[in-house]
Amino acid sequence: MKARIPNQPNRGDMMKMVQEMQENMARVTEEVENSEFVTSTGGGAVEAKVNGKHEIVSLTIKPEVVDPDDVEMLEDLIVSAVNESICKANEAMEKGMESAKGGLGGLNIPGLF
């Protein structure tokens, strides 16, 4: 018979905790995927909105930044705005997952995370 470590959850409790964590992670994933993340660059000249699935929802470009002689600057502003919005989505997902894991984040259970 194995000695039980005090304050260590039993197998049934552990399975329940893991199931709750998985449910929380699924909920967070859905919430983040349905959220939108907006970033603007060039003092508001370009605004990009992406969802949590990293899909561009909208892209707004102020007419005054459209310079046919400097297309490269506009391209850089667009790339920067989109990338920053994607970073915001990633950060939201990471925060949500850490929160959903609760105290189980430090466990090393293969295939769980």
Side-chain angles (χ1 to χ4, degrees), residues 32-78:
V32 172
E33 287 179 348
N34 291 324
S35 298
E36 293 181 345
F37 304 88
V38 181
T39 302
S40 64
T41 58
V46 173
E47 181 181 277
K49 184 185 300 184
V50 301
N51 62 23
K53 296 177 188 175
H54 302 149
E55 299 166 333
I56 297 173
V57 175
S58 69
L59 182 65
T60 306
I61 302 169
K62 289 190 176 178
E64 57 267 21
V65 291
V66 180
D67 180 355
D69 296 327
D70 194 5
V71 173
E72 189 175 316
M73 186 225 21
L74 180 56
E75 292 170 342
D76 289 344
L77 290 173
I78 292 169

Side-chain angles (χ1 to χ4, degrees), residues 4-10:
R4 199 161 173 272
I5 300 170
N7 299 323
Q8 177 104 4
N10 66 35

Side-chain angles (χ1 to χ4, degrees), residues 19-31:
Q19 183 177 6
E20 288 175 5
M21 181 189 59
Q22 288 175 324
E23 290 169 0
N24 287 338
M25 292 173 76
R27 179 186 47 76
V28 166
T29 298
E30 183 177 349
E31 287 174 5

